[in-house]
Amino acid sequence: MGSLSSRVLRHPGRARAQPEPASGAGGSARRPETGGDAPGPGFCYCPGSHKRKRNSGAFCYCNPDSETDEDEEEGDEQQRLLNTPRRKKLKSTSKYIYQTLFLNGENSDIKICALGEEWSLHKIYLCQSGYFSSMFSGSWKESSMNTIELEIPDQNIDIEALQVAFGSLYRDDVLIKPSRVIAILAAACMLQLDGLIQQCGETMKETINVKTVCGYYTSAGTYGLDSVKKKCLEWLLNNLMTHQNVELFKELSINVMKQLIGSSNLFVMQVEMDVYTALKKWMFLQLVPSWNGSLKQLLTETDVWFSKRKKEWLSSVYKQQWLAMLRAEQDSEVGPQEINKEELEGNSMRCGRKLAKDGEYCWRWTGFNFGFDLLVTYTNRYIIFKRNTLNQPCSGSVSLQPRRSIAFRLRLASFDSSGKLICSRTTGYQILTLEKDQEQVVMNLDSRLLIFPLYICCNFLYISPEKRTENSHHPENPEN
Protein backbone atom coordinates (compact mmCIF):
# COMPACT_ATOMS: atom_id res chain seq x y z
CA MET A 1 0.00 0.00 0.00
CA GLY A 2 1.12 3.53 -0.54
CA SER A 3 1.75 5.89 2.30
CA LEU A 4 -1.23 7.41 4.16
CA SER A 5 -0.91 11.13 4.65
CA SER A 6 -2.53 13.06 7.44
CA ARG A 7 -3.12 16.72 7.73
CA VAL A 8 -3.29 19.09 10.68
CA LEU A 9 -4.66 22.53 11.08
CA ARG A 10 -2.23 25.27 10.26
CA HIS A 11 -1.86 27.95 12.88
CA PRO A 12 0.61 30.81 12.91
CA GLY A 13 3.89 29.78 14.44
CA ARG A 14 3.07 26.04 14.42
CA ALA A 15 5.44 23.67 12.69
CA ARG A 16 4.18 21.66 9.78
CA ALA A 17 3.71 17.98 10.59
CA GLN A 18 5.54 15.50 8.48
CA PRO A 19 3.72 12.67 6.71
CA GLU A 20 3.58 9.44 8.68
CA PRO A 21 4.71 6.39 6.82
CA ALA A 22 2.40 3.37 6.67
CA SER A 23 2.73 0.94 9.52
CA GLY A 24 2.98 -2.12 7.36
CA ALA A 25 0.61 -4.72 6.02
CA GLY A 26 -1.37 -4.89 9.22
CA GLY A 27 -2.33 -1.24 8.97
CA SER A 28 -2.32 -0.81 12.77
CA ALA A 29 -1.09 2.36 14.46
CA ARG A 30 1.17 2.43 17.54
CA ARG A 31 1.33 5.08 20.19
CA PRO A 32 4.75 6.80 19.71
CA GLU A 33 7.31 6.92 22.47
CA THR A 34 8.33 10.26 23.95
CA GLY A 35 10.06 12.24 21.30
CA GLY A 36 8.99 9.79 18.60
CA ASP A 37 7.01 10.25 15.46
CA ALA A 38 3.69 12.09 15.11
CA PRO A 39 0.49 10.17 15.76
CA GLY A 40 -0.65 7.72 13.14
CA PRO A 41 -3.64 8.37 10.96
CA GLY A 42 -7.05 8.09 12.58
CA PHE A 43 -5.86 8.75 16.19
CA CYS A 44 -5.21 11.77 18.32
CA TYR A 45 -2.62 11.87 21.13
CA CYS A 46 -2.76 15.53 22.18
CA PRO A 47 -1.46 16.15 25.70
CA GLY A 48 -4.07 15.63 28.37
CA SER A 49 -6.43 13.81 26.04
CA HIS A 50 -7.47 10.17 25.81
CA LYS A 51 -6.81 8.17 22.72
CA ARG A 52 -9.68 8.89 20.34
CA LYS A 53 -10.36 7.24 17.06
CA ARG A 54 -11.20 9.47 14.15
CA ASN A 55 -13.53 8.49 11.34
CA SER A 56 -11.60 10.03 8.48
CA GLY A 57 -8.37 11.99 7.95
CA ALA A 58 -6.19 12.98 10.89
CA PHE A 59 -7.75 16.13 12.26
CA CYS A 60 -7.14 16.96 15.88
CA TYR A 61 -10.38 16.78 17.92
CA CYS A 62 -8.94 18.12 21.13
CA ASN A 63 -8.79 21.72 19.99
CA PRO A 64 -12.08 23.44 20.79
CA ASP A 65 -11.60 25.62 17.74
CA SER A 66 -11.14 22.64 15.46
CA GLU A 67 -12.82 22.82 12.10
CA THR A 68 -13.41 19.08 12.16
CA ASP A 69 -16.69 19.14 14.13
CA GLU A 70 -18.59 18.52 10.92
CA ASP A 71 -16.44 15.47 10.21
CA GLU A 72 -17.15 14.14 13.70
CA GLU A 73 -20.90 14.67 13.28
CA GLU A 74 -20.75 12.96 9.91
CA GLY A 75 -18.94 10.06 11.51
CA ASP A 76 -21.52 9.84 14.30
CA GLU A 77 -24.29 9.80 11.73
CA GLN A 78 -22.60 7.01 9.82
CA GLN A 79 -22.15 5.07 13.03
CA ARG A 80 -25.82 5.54 13.86
CA LEU A 81 -26.85 4.33 10.43
CA LEU A 82 -24.65 1.27 10.78
CA ASN A 83 -26.34 0.38 14.07
CA THR A 84 -29.93 1.05 12.96
CA PRO A 85 -31.71 -2.18 12.01
CA ARG A 86 -33.56 -2.32 8.72
CA ARG A 87 -36.74 -4.32 8.35
CA LYS A 88 -37.09 -6.70 5.48
CA LYS A 89 -40.21 -8.80 5.25
CA LEU A 90 -39.32 -12.46 5.19
CA LYS A 91 -41.59 -15.45 5.17
CA SER A 92 -42.51 -15.81 8.83
CA THR A 93 -42.09 -19.00 10.78
CA SER A 94 -45.79 -18.90 11.64
CA LYS A 95 -46.83 -18.83 7.99
CA TYR A 96 -44.39 -21.61 7.16
CA ILE A 97 -45.73 -23.76 10.00
CA TYR A 98 -49.34 -23.09 9.03
CA GLN A 99 -48.75 -23.93 5.37
CA THR A 100 -46.40 -26.89 5.79
CA LEU A 101 -47.70 -28.59 8.89
CA PHE A 102 -51.39 -27.68 9.01
CA LEU A 103 -52.47 -27.21 5.40
CA ASN A 104 -50.07 -29.76 3.89
CA GLY A 105 -50.10 -32.08 6.91
CA GLU A 106 -46.39 -32.93 6.68
CA ASN A 107 -44.99 -35.16 9.46
CA SER A 108 -48.46 -35.66 10.89
CA ASP A 109 -48.67 -38.12 13.79
CA ILE A 110 -52.44 -38.12 14.32
CA LYS A 111 -55.62 -37.84 12.27
CA ILE A 112 -58.76 -36.13 13.57
CA CYS A 113 -62.05 -37.07 11.94
CA ALA A 114 -65.29 -35.10 12.41
CA LEU A 115 -68.42 -34.29 10.39
CA GLY A 116 -67.13 -36.43 7.53
CA GLU A 117 -63.86 -34.50 7.23
CA GLU A 118 -60.31 -35.55 8.14
CA TRP A 119 -57.40 -33.43 9.40
CA SER A 120 -53.77 -34.59 9.49
CA LEU A 121 -52.43 -32.88 12.60
CA HIS A 122 -49.73 -33.08 15.27
CA LYS A 123 -50.13 -33.98 18.93
CA ILE A 124 -47.61 -31.39 20.07
CA TYR A 125 -49.81 -28.64 18.60
CA LEU A 126 -53.10 -30.21 19.65
CA CYS A 127 -51.95 -30.17 23.27
CA GLN A 128 -52.51 -26.39 23.27
CA SER A 129 -56.18 -27.34 23.43
CA GLY A 130 -57.46 -28.21 26.89
CA TYR A 131 -59.70 -30.83 25.31
CA PHE A 132 -56.85 -32.71 23.60
CA SER A 133 -54.35 -32.08 26.39
CA SER A 134 -56.58 -33.98 28.81
CA MET A 135 -57.21 -36.68 26.24
CA PHE A 136 -53.54 -37.35 25.56
CA SER A 137 -52.21 -37.03 29.10
CA GLY A 138 -54.71 -39.29 30.85
CA SER A 139 -55.31 -43.00 30.72
CA TRP A 140 -57.83 -42.65 27.96
CA LYS A 141 -57.77 -45.08 25.08
CA GLU A 142 -57.42 -42.14 22.65
CA SER A 143 -54.01 -41.28 24.09
CA SER A 144 -52.43 -44.14 22.13
CA MET A 145 -54.59 -43.93 19.01
CA ASN A 146 -53.39 -42.52 15.69
CA THR A 147 -56.90 -41.74 14.43
CA ILE A 148 -59.57 -40.11 16.58
CA GLU A 149 -63.23 -39.72 15.67
CA LEU A 150 -64.73 -36.64 17.32
CA GLU A 151 -68.36 -36.52 18.33
CA ILE A 152 -69.79 -33.05 17.68
CA PRO A 153 -72.76 -32.50 20.01
CA ASP A 154 -73.21 -28.79 19.19
CA GLN A 155 -75.23 -28.01 16.07
CA ASN A 156 -73.55 -24.61 15.80
CA ILE A 157 -70.24 -26.31 14.92
CA ASP A 158 -69.57 -27.01 11.24
CA ILE A 159 -66.56 -28.11 9.18
CA GLU A 160 -65.46 -24.54 8.45
CA ALA A 161 -65.52 -23.66 12.16
CA LEU A 162 -63.38 -26.72 12.98
CA GLN A 163 -60.96 -25.73 10.22
CA VAL A 164 -60.50 -22.31 11.80
CA ALA A 165 -60.23 -23.75 15.32
CA PHE A 166 -57.59 -26.36 14.38
CA GLY A 167 -55.74 -23.84 12.24
CA SER A 168 -55.51 -21.39 15.16
CA LEU A 169 -53.16 -23.86 16.87
CA TYR A 170 -50.62 -23.38 14.07
CA ARG A 171 -50.66 -19.59 13.63
CA ASP A 172 -50.35 -16.35 15.58
CA ASP A 173 -53.57 -14.66 14.50
CA VAL A 174 -56.98 -15.57 13.14
CA LEU A 175 -59.34 -13.45 11.07
CA ILE A 176 -62.93 -13.95 12.21
CA LYS A 177 -65.90 -12.80 10.14
CA PRO A 178 -68.91 -11.63 12.18
CA SER A 179 -71.10 -13.99 10.15
CA ARG A 180 -68.95 -16.94 11.30
CA VAL A 181 -68.13 -15.92 14.86
CA ILE A 182 -70.87 -17.95 16.60
CA ALA A 183 -69.84 -21.18 14.87
CA ILE A 184 -66.16 -20.54 15.62
CA LEU A 185 -66.99 -19.70 19.24
CA ALA A 186 -68.87 -22.99 19.56
CA ALA A 187 -65.89 -24.94 18.20
CA ALA A 188 -63.44 -23.02 20.40
CA CYS A 189 -65.51 -23.76 23.51
CA MET A 190 -65.73 -27.47 22.71
CA LEU A 191 -61.97 -27.69 22.16
CA GLN A 192 -61.24 -25.41 25.15
CA LEU A 193 -59.22 -22.86 23.16
CA ASP A 194 -59.14 -19.92 25.55
CA GLY A 195 -57.33 -17.51 23.23
CA LEU A 196 -59.77 -18.13 20.37
CA ILE A 197 -62.74 -17.80 22.73
CA GLN A 198 -61.46 -14.40 23.86
CA GLN A 199 -60.94 -13.25 20.28
CA CYS A 200 -64.49 -14.33 19.36
CA GLY A 201 -65.81 -12.33 22.30
CA GLU A 202 -63.93 -9.20 21.22
CA THR A 203 -65.19 -9.60 17.65
CA MET A 204 -68.76 -9.90 18.90
CA LYS A 205 -68.54 -6.80 21.09
CA GLU A 206 -67.13 -4.75 18.20
CA THR A 207 -69.81 -5.83 15.69
CA ILE A 208 -73.08 -5.61 17.64
CA ASN A 209 -75.84 -4.23 15.40
CA VAL A 210 -79.50 -4.78 14.62
CA LYS A 211 -78.77 -7.96 12.66
CA THR A 212 -76.37 -9.58 15.12
CA VAL A 213 -77.51 -8.50 18.59
CA CYS A 214 -80.09 -11.24 19.26
CA GLY A 215 -77.87 -14.05 18.00
CA TYR A 216 -74.92 -12.71 19.97
CA TYR A 217 -76.99 -12.37 23.14
CA THR A 218 -78.22 -15.97 22.94
CA SER A 219 -74.77 -17.36 22.12
CA ALA A 220 -73.10 -15.33 24.86
CA GLY A 221 -75.48 -16.92 27.35
CA THR A 222 -74.89 -20.40 25.95
CA TYR A 223 -71.08 -20.18 25.98
CA GLY A 224 -70.63 -18.12 29.14
CA LEU A 225 -69.46 -14.80 27.70
CA ASP A 226 -71.03 -12.52 30.30
CA SER A 227 -69.31 -9.37 29.05
CA VAL A 228 -70.74 -9.90 25.55
CA LYS A 229 -74.20 -10.56 26.98
CA LYS A 230 -74.00 -7.32 28.96
CA LYS A 231 -72.93 -5.36 25.86
CA CYS A 232 -75.85 -6.77 23.85
CA LEU A 233 -78.32 -5.83 26.56
CA GLU A 234 -76.91 -2.29 26.70
CA TRP A 235 -77.26 -2.00 22.92
CA LEU A 236 -80.88 -3.16 23.08
CA LEU A 237 -81.72 -0.72 25.89
CA ASN A 238 -80.30 2.12 23.79
CA ASN A 239 -81.81 1.12 20.44
CA LEU A 240 -85.10 -0.76 20.98
CA MET A 241 -87.11 2.48 21.13
CA THR A 242 -84.76 4.92 19.40
CA HIS A 243 -84.27 2.80 16.27
CA GLN A 244 -87.32 0.53 16.03
CA ASN A 245 -87.00 -2.35 13.57
CA VAL A 246 -89.50 -4.98 12.44
CA GLU A 247 -86.99 -7.82 12.20
CA LEU A 248 -85.58 -6.99 15.63
CA PHE A 249 -89.07 -7.17 17.15
CA LYS A 250 -89.53 -10.61 15.59
CA GLU A 251 -86.27 -11.94 17.00
CA LEU A 252 -86.61 -10.72 20.59
CA SER A 253 -87.55 -13.46 23.01
CA ILE A 254 -90.09 -13.06 25.81
CA ASN A 255 -87.39 -13.13 28.50
CA VAL A 256 -85.29 -10.45 26.79
CA MET A 257 -88.30 -8.22 26.12
CA LYS A 258 -89.32 -8.54 29.75
CA GLN A 259 -85.88 -7.34 30.85
CA LEU A 260 -85.95 -4.39 28.44
CA ILE A 261 -89.36 -2.94 29.23
CA GLY A 262 -88.79 -3.43 32.95
CA SER A 263 -85.47 -1.56 32.97
CA SER A 264 -85.15 2.05 34.09
CA ASN A 265 -82.28 2.33 31.57
CA LEU A 266 -84.53 1.77 28.55
CA PHE A 267 -84.04 4.75 26.22
CA VAL A 268 -87.68 5.75 25.64
CA MET A 269 -88.70 8.09 22.84
CA GLN A 270 -91.58 10.43 23.67
CA VAL A 271 -93.45 9.09 26.73
CA GLU A 272 -94.13 5.98 28.78
CA MET A 273 -97.20 5.22 26.69
CA ASP A 274 -94.86 4.56 23.76
CA VAL A 275 -93.41 1.63 25.67
CA TYR A 276 -96.87 0.11 25.65
CA THR A 277 -97.18 0.82 21.91
CA ALA A 278 -93.84 -0.86 21.19
CA LEU A 279 -94.81 -3.82 23.35
CA LYS A 280 -98.08 -4.13 21.43
CA LYS A 281 -96.18 -4.21 18.10
CA TRP A 282 -93.82 -6.86 19.46
CA MET A 283 -96.72 -9.02 20.69
CA PHE A 284 -98.40 -8.85 17.29
CA LEU A 285 -95.22 -10.00 15.52
CA GLN A 286 -94.77 -12.84 18.02
CA LEU A 287 -98.33 -14.00 17.43
CA VAL A 288 -98.26 -13.41 13.65
CA PRO A 289 -94.60 -14.07 12.68
CA SER A 290 -95.52 -14.43 9.01
CA TRP A 291 -96.51 -10.76 8.75
CA ASN A 292 -94.27 -8.92 6.31
CA GLY A 293 -94.53 -5.16 6.01
CA SER A 294 -92.85 -1.86 6.83
CA LEU A 295 -92.46 -0.23 10.24
CA LYS A 296 -94.94 2.50 9.20
CA GLN A 297 -97.60 -0.13 8.50
CA LEU A 298 -96.93 -2.11 11.66
CA LEU A 299 -98.92 -0.09 14.21
CA THR A 300 -102.02 0.11 11.99
CA GLU A 301 -101.94 -3.64 11.34
CA THR A 302 -101.38 -4.28 15.05
CA ASP A 303 -104.36 -2.15 16.12
CA VAL A 304 -106.63 -3.84 13.57
CA TRP A 305 -105.55 -7.30 14.72
CA PHE A 306 -106.03 -6.57 18.44
CA SER A 307 -109.34 -4.75 17.92
CA LYS A 308 -110.85 -8.02 16.70
CA ARG A 309 -109.69 -9.76 19.88
CA LYS A 310 -110.44 -6.98 22.33
CA LYS A 311 -110.39 -7.84 26.00
CA GLU A 312 -110.23 -5.64 29.07
CA TRP A 313 -106.80 -6.95 30.02
CA LEU A 314 -105.45 -3.45 30.77
CA SER A 315 -108.39 -2.20 32.80
CA SER A 316 -106.73 -2.77 36.17
CA VAL A 317 -103.63 -0.85 35.09
CA TYR A 318 -105.62 2.14 33.84
CA LYS A 319 -107.70 2.12 37.00
CA GLN A 320 -104.63 2.11 39.22
CA GLN A 321 -103.14 5.12 37.43
CA TRP A 322 -106.42 7.01 37.55
CA LEU A 323 -106.77 6.44 41.29
CA ALA A 324 -103.18 7.58 41.82
CA MET A 325 -103.96 10.85 40.03
CA LEU A 326 -107.04 11.44 42.15
CA ARG A 327 -105.12 10.71 45.35
CA ALA A 328 -102.34 13.13 44.35
CA GLU A 329 -104.87 15.98 44.02
CA GLN A 330 -106.95 15.17 47.10
CA ASP A 331 -103.96 14.73 49.42
CA SER A 332 -102.16 17.90 48.25
CA GLU A 333 -99.22 15.86 46.99
CA VAL A 334 -95.91 17.74 47.18
CA GLY A 335 -93.81 15.04 45.51
CA PRO A 336 -90.91 12.86 46.66
CA GLN A 337 -88.64 14.37 49.30
CA GLU A 338 -85.71 11.97 49.15
CA ILE A 339 -84.01 9.75 46.59
CA ASN A 340 -85.00 6.11 46.76
CA LYS A 341 -83.08 4.50 43.91
CA GLU A 342 -84.99 1.23 44.06
CA GLU A 343 -88.32 3.09 43.94
CA LEU A 344 -87.13 5.26 41.06
CA GLU A 345 -85.86 2.35 39.00
CA GLY A 346 -89.02 0.36 39.54
CA ASN A 347 -91.72 3.02 39.15
CA SER A 348 -90.38 6.07 37.32
CA MET A 349 -92.01 7.31 34.14
CA ARG A 350 -89.66 7.19 31.14
CA CYS A 351 -89.73 9.97 28.54
CA GLY A 352 -87.51 10.83 25.59
CA ARG A 353 -86.82 13.19 22.73
CA LYS A 354 -84.72 13.15 19.57
CA LEU A 355 -83.04 16.39 18.48
CA ALA A 356 -82.19 16.02 14.80
CA LYS A 357 -79.97 19.10 14.70
CA ASP A 358 -78.78 21.94 16.88
CA GLY A 359 -81.26 24.76 17.52
CA GLU A 360 -83.88 25.83 20.04
CA TYR A 361 -86.58 23.40 21.19
CA CYS A 362 -89.38 23.40 23.75
CA TRP A 363 -91.71 20.50 24.52
CA ARG A 364 -93.87 18.71 27.09
CA TRP A 365 -93.69 15.07 28.09
CA THR A 366 -97.41 14.49 28.61
CA GLY A 367 -98.93 11.53 30.40
CA PHE A 368 -99.42 10.63 34.04
CA ASN A 369 -97.77 13.75 35.44
CA PHE A 370 -99.97 13.98 38.56
CA GLY A 371 -100.64 17.71 38.18
CA PHE A 372 -97.04 18.63 37.39
CA ASP A 373 -96.99 20.31 33.97
CA LEU A 374 -93.31 20.26 33.03
CA LEU A 375 -91.97 22.32 30.13
CA VAL A 376 -88.57 21.28 28.80
CA THR A 377 -86.39 23.70 26.83
CA TYR A 378 -83.13 23.13 24.94
CA THR A 379 -81.32 26.36 24.08
CA ASN A 380 -77.67 27.44 23.84
CA ARG A 381 -76.47 24.04 25.09
CA TYR A 382 -78.68 24.24 28.20
CA ILE A 383 -81.56 21.96 29.15
CA ILE A 384 -84.08 23.74 31.35
CA PHE A 385 -87.05 22.39 33.33
CA LYS A 386 -89.96 24.74 34.07
CA ARG A 387 -92.95 24.05 36.25
CA ASN A 388 -95.87 25.53 34.34
CA THR A 389 -98.76 26.58 36.56
CA LEU A 390 -100.36 29.79 35.29
CA ASN A 391 -98.29 31.13 32.37
CA GLN A 392 -99.03 28.56 29.67
CA PRO A 393 -102.32 26.79 28.84
CA CYS A 394 -102.43 23.10 29.76
CA SER A 395 -104.92 20.46 28.64
CA GLY A 396 -104.92 18.66 31.99
CA SER A 397 -105.30 19.49 35.65
CA VAL A 398 -102.43 21.49 37.17
CA SER A 399 -101.43 21.46 40.83
CA LEU A 400 -101.60 24.84 42.55
CA GLN A 401 -99.39 23.82 45.45
CA PRO A 402 -96.85 26.60 46.21
CA ARG A 403 -93.97 24.13 45.92
CA ARG A 404 -93.82 20.77 44.17
CA SER A 405 -90.95 18.30 43.93
CA ILE A 406 -90.00 15.64 41.40
CA ALA A 407 -87.29 13.01 41.39
CA PHE A 408 -85.56 12.66 38.02
CA ARG A 409 -82.58 11.39 36.08
CA LEU A 410 -81.67 12.96 32.73
CA ARG A 411 -79.55 11.13 30.16
CA LEU A 412 -78.15 12.24 26.81
CA ALA A 413 -76.57 10.05 24.15
CA SER A 414 -75.35 9.92 20.56
CA PHE A 415 -75.07 6.77 18.44
CA ASP A 416 -73.26 5.79 15.25
CA SER A 417 -74.95 4.20 12.22
CA SER A 418 -74.81 0.71 13.79
CA GLY A 419 -76.42 1.89 17.03
CA LYS A 420 -73.17 1.84 18.98
CA LEU A 421 -72.95 4.44 21.74
CA ILE A 422 -70.55 7.25 20.82
CA CYS A 423 -70.89 9.42 23.91
CA SER A 424 -73.30 9.89 26.80
CA ARG A 425 -73.90 11.93 29.92
CA THR A 426 -76.26 11.71 32.88
CA THR A 427 -77.29 13.89 35.80
CA GLY A 428 -77.78 10.90 38.05
CA TYR A 429 -80.86 10.76 40.27
CA GLN A 430 -81.81 14.14 41.75
CA ILE A 431 -84.64 15.86 43.61
CA LEU A 432 -85.85 19.15 42.07
CA THR A 433 -88.25 21.44 43.96
CA LEU A 434 -89.93 24.23 41.98
CA GLU A 435 -92.32 27.02 42.86
CA LYS A 436 -95.13 28.10 40.53
CA ASP A 437 -93.77 28.87 37.04
CA GLN A 438 -90.18 28.57 38.25
CA GLU A 439 -87.53 27.22 35.88
CA GLN A 440 -84.17 25.56 36.56
CA VAL A 441 -81.16 24.61 34.40
CA VAL A 442 -80.64 20.88 34.89
CA MET A 443 -77.80 20.24 32.43
CA ASN A 444 -75.17 22.18 30.51
CA LEU A 445 -73.88 20.33 27.42
CA ASP A 446 -70.21 20.46 26.49
CA SER A 447 -69.01 20.28 22.90
CA ARG A 448 -68.28 16.55 23.12
CA LEU A 449 -72.01 15.84 23.34
CA LEU A 450 -73.02 18.04 20.43
CA ILE A 451 -73.17 15.16 17.98
CA PHE A 452 -76.53 15.17 16.25
CA PRO A 453 -78.97 13.55 16.22
CA LEU A 454 -78.93 13.81 20.01
CA TYR A 455 -81.16 11.54 22.09
CA ILE A 456 -82.54 12.72 25.42
CA CYS A 457 -84.17 10.40 27.93
CA CYS A 458 -85.50 11.20 31.40
CA ASN A 459 -86.91 9.16 34.29
CA PHE A 460 -89.51 10.97 36.44
CA LEU A 461 -91.17 10.16 39.73
CA TYR A 462 -93.98 12.64 40.46
CA ILE A 463 -95.55 11.30 43.66
CA SER A 464 -94.06 10.07 46.91
CA PRO A 465 -93.11 6.41 47.20
CA GLU A 466 -95.58 5.78 50.04
CA LYS A 467 -98.42 7.15 47.89
CA ARG A 468 -97.60 4.77 45.07
CA THR A 469 -97.44 1.88 47.55
CA GLU A 470 -100.89 2.76 48.93
CA ASN A 471 -102.28 2.87 45.40
CA SER A 472 -100.95 -0.57 44.61
CA HIS A 473 -102.58 -1.97 47.77
CA HIS A 474 -105.98 -0.38 47.24
CA PRO A 475 -106.64 0.01 43.53
CA GLU A 476 -110.24 -1.08 43.80
CA ASN A 477 -111.47 1.46 46.35
CA PRO A 478 -111.29 5.17 45.30
CA GLU A 479 -112.36 6.32 48.76
CA ASN A 480 -109.21 4.99 50.49
Side-chain angles (χ1 to χ4, degrees):
M1 293 178 57
S3 63
L4 298 176
S5 62
S6 60
R7 56 192 177 93
V8 297
L9 297 177
R10 295 183 181 180
H11 291 276
R14 180 174 294 177
R16 187 186 187 94
Q18 297 299 321
E20 172 72 9
S23 56
S28 62
R30 293 177 300 149
R31 185 181 180 97
E33 300 295 335
T34 304
D37 296 331
F43 294 92
C44 171
Y45 298 108
C46 292
S49 71
H50 295 288
K51 178 179 178 181
R52 299 178 61 184
K53 186 167 182 178
R54 296 196 295 271
N55 295 286
S56 62
F59 280 96
C60 174
Y61 293 95
C62 301
N63 190 330
D65 299 323
S66 172
E67 296 177 5
T68 61
D69 289 346
E70 293 182 3
D71 289 348
E72 184 179 38
E73 291 175 3
E74 181 181 352
D76 291 344
E77 178 66 15
Q78 291 175 355
Q79 191 69 19
R80 185 187 67 79
L81 292 173
L82 288 173
N83 287 282
T84 301
R86 290 289 180 265
R87 297 182 183 275
K88 184 176 182 181
K89 193 170 183 179
L90 303 174
K91 186 173 183 180
S92 68
T93 303
S94 177
K95 289 182 178 180
Y96 175 81
I97 290 173
Y98 182 77
Q99 178 67 48
T100 306
L101 300 185
F102 178 65
L103 295 181
N104 298 344
E106 292 186 15
N107 301 319
S108 169
D109 57 2
I110 190 169
K111 292 187 184 298
I112 304 296
C113 302
L115 302 176
E117 189 71 20
E118 183 180 280
W119 287 267
S120 298
L121 304 174
H122 309 78
K123 285 187 177 182
I124 193 170
Y125 284 95
L126 288 177
C127 282
Q128 297 174 85
S129 156
Y131 179 87
F132 286 109
S133 178
S134 298
M135 178 186 291
F136 297 150
S137 62
S139 57
W140 307 98
K141 64 177 182 179
E142 290 89 351
S143 61
S144 59
M145 295 172 61
N146 295 326
T147 300
I148 295 175
E149 186 76 33
L150 289 185
E151 294 291 334
I152 307 296
D154 191 337
Q155 62 181 3
N156 285 327
I157 301 175
D158 55 21
I159 293 174
E160 184 180 346
L162 287 175
Q163 176 77 3
V164 173
F166 289 141
S168 70
L169 301 172
Y170 291 80
R171 63 195 314 177
D172 295 330
D173 57 351
V174 180
L175 295 178
I176 301 176
K177 296 179 181 178
S179 60
R180 298 293 307 153
V181 68
I182 293 176
I184 295 171
L185 174 62
C189 287
M190 190 195 85
L191 299 177
Q192 300 173 35
L193 301 174
D194 294 340
L196 188 57
I197 292 171
Q198 182 179 357
Q199 188 171 349
C200 288
E202 293 302 318
T203 300
M204 293 167 78
K205 284 188 281 189
E206 291 170 1
T207 57
I208 296 173
N209 57 51
V210 68
K211 293 183 178 180
T212 63
V213 64
C214 290
Y216 284 0
Y217 181 87
T218 302
S219 298
T222 301
Y223 301 112
L225 297 183
D226 292 340
S227 61
V228 174
K229 190 174 180 180
K230 181 180 178 181
K231 279 285 186 183
C232 290
L233 192 61
E234 288 176 356
W235 189 97
L236 287 167
L237 288 169
N238 289 334
N239 289 273
L240 177 69
M241 301 290 292
T242 59
H243 302 84
Q244 293 189 29
N245 182 277
V246 172
E247 294 305 317
L248 179 59
F249 278 143
K250 287 183 178 181
E251 285 191 66
L252 286 171
S253 68
I254 294 175
N255 289 334
V256 174
M257 195 64 175
K258 184 178 179 180
Q259 287 187 70
L260 296 176
I261 64 171
S263 174
S264 61
N265 293 321
L266 179 64
F267 233 103
V268 172
M269 287 293 97
Q270 300 312 321
V271 294
E272 186 75 26
M273 192 66 181
D274 291 286
V275 180
Y276 161 72
T277 303
L279 186 59
K280 186 168 59 173
K281 295 175 187 176
W282 170 81
M283 286 182 65
F284 169 70
L285 292 172
Q286 297 297 304
L287 296 169
V288 191
S290 60
W291 185 84
N292 187 19
S294 67
L295 184 63
K296 291 182 178 180
Q297 299 169 325
L298 180 56
L299 182 57
T300 302
E301 293 285 336
T302 297
D303 286 339
V304 170
W305 193 88
F306 276 110
S307 66
K308 296 177 181 179
R309 298 159 179 82
K310 186 176 182 181
K311 293 182 180 180
E312 299 300 323
W313 55 289
L314 286 176
S315 296
S316 62
V317 178
Y318 287 138
K319 185 177 181 180
Q320 181 176 325
Q321 290 288 9
W322 174 246
L323 293 176
M325 292 179 70
L326 291 176
R327 188 180 302 279
E329 289 191 2
Q330 293 174 0
D331 291 354
S332 300
E333 173 66 41
V334 295
Q337 301 300 300
E338 60 183 21
I339 294 174
N340 183 325
K341 187 176 179 181
E342 183 178 353
E343 177 71 21
L344 279 163
E345 291 181 346
N347 297 285
S348 61
M349 310 292 288
R350 295 163 294 188
C351 309
R353 182 85 176 189
K354 176 184 176 181
L355 305 185
K357 59 182 180 179
D358 199 9
E360 294 190 353
Y361 300 86
C362 185
W363 68 90
R364 282 184 174 97
W365 279 312
T366 59
F368 296 104
N369 297 350
F370 304 98
F372 199 116
D373 183 34
L374 187 71
L375 298 180
V376 186
T377 303
Y378 170 78
T379 180
N380 296 325
R381 300 187 182 182
Y382 290 100
I383 296 179
I384 301 169
F385 286 174
K386 179 178 180 180
R387 178 192 170 193
N388 176 53
T389 308
L390 303 171
N391 289 353
Q392 299 290 334
C394 180
S395 59
S397 175
V398 177
S399 171
L400 296 179
Q401 288 291 324
R403 294 167 66 86
R404 279 289 306 268
S405 298
I406 55 170
F408 76 96
R409 179 186 64 172
L410 186 65
R411 291 182 294 151
L412 281 74
S414 295
F415 308 98
D416 65 12
S417 58
S418 68
K420 185 177 180 180
L421 186 66
I422 300 174
C423 60
S424 64
R425 186 178 172 187
T426 179
T427 60
Y429 288 111
Q430 298 184 18
I431 298 288
L432 179 64
T433 301
L434 296 174
E435 298 179 359
K436 295 179 182 179
D437 298 306
Q438 182 182 354
E439 63 182 32
Q440 179 71 43
V441 174
V442 293
M443 183 178 282
N444 179 15
L445 280 67
D446 56 40
S447 58
R448 292 174 297 175
L449 275 171
L450 294 180
I451 303 175
F452 292 90
L454 185 66
Y455 293 86
I456 301 173
C457 187
C458 199
N459 297 67
F460 289 111
L461 194 63
Y462 292 96
I463 63 174
S464 302
E466 62 270 16
K467 299 296 182 183
R468 187 175 296 276
T469 302
E470 290 173 8
N471 294 330
S472 63
H473 288 165
H474 307 285
E476 70 284 352
N477 188 355
E479 295 182 357
N480 285 339

